Amino acid sequence: MIGRAMNVHDQPTLAAISRGSREAFVSLFDRTSGAIGAELASRLPDGDQAVLVFAATYVEVWWLAGCHSGPGFDAVEWITQILRRRIADLDPNARQHSRMPSAAPEPAVDPRPSYAELELAALLGRPARRMRPN
């Protein structure tokens, strides 16, 4: 759990997001992305996988915001749980590979943003390359 008190604006913000408010989504993203990025960096050292997990986590927030609300609901904790599940869903061999030396050359990294990065960038109205976690 990320140590912080619940933000009293979480419920109305999520309700607005569930009604399609991109302004509310941008506000939530800007308020939470630093903490979520730090959590991600501590759990997933692979930068390319981290970018994908980060973007996919926030796209899931956009789509499921209306399913998760109520008094005392903590959006940061909810987003952190999504993030942790997405990391756990990764292939464990892929995570190990990023920590183990390899005799084989590294595959070329596709410079194009993933679909999740593109969707997040569109939701935020920002270039896809700015979506890397802090």
Side-chain angles (χ1 to χ4, degrees):
M1 178 175 174
I2 296 174
R4 77 163 194 67
M6 187 211 60
N7 187 316
V8 296
H9 301 291
D10 287 348
Q11 184 178 7
T13 298
L14 290 172
I17 293 168
S18 73
R19 291 188 305 271
S21 172
R22 290 186 183 202
E23 294 81 16
F25 181 74
V26 169
S27 174
L28 180 70
F29 178 86
D30 288 343
R31 183 170 55 83
T32 62
S33 62
I36 299 302
E39 175 82 11
L40 179 59
S42 73
R43 292 177 175 270
L44 187 62
D46 183 324
D48 292 326
Q49 282 188 324
V51 168
L52 295 174
V53 168
F54 183 76
T57 296
Y58 277 97
V59 169
E60 186 170 334
V61 167
W62 169 260
W63 288 110
L64 298 180
C67 299
H68 300 281
S69 62
F73 183 78
D74 185 339
V76 172
E77 183 58 32
W78 173 56
I79 297 167
T80 301
Q81 290 171 7
I82 293 170
L83 178 79
R84 289 176 182 168
R85 178 186 43 80
R86 287 189 168 275
I87 291 169
D89 287 347
L90 291 173
D91 178 2
N93 294 325
R95 283 183 294 169
Q96 286 292 10
H97 175 73
S98 68
R99 296 185 187 133
M100 299 172 62
S102 172
E106 290 289 322
V109 175
D110 189 347
R112 295 173 297 183
S114 68
Y115 289 119
E117 290 173 276
L118 291 172
E119 188 170 1
L120 179 59
L123 289 168
L124 296 171
R126 298 177 183 169
R129 285 295 165 217
R130 289 188 56 203
M131 298 304 103
R132 294 191 177 274
N134 300 340

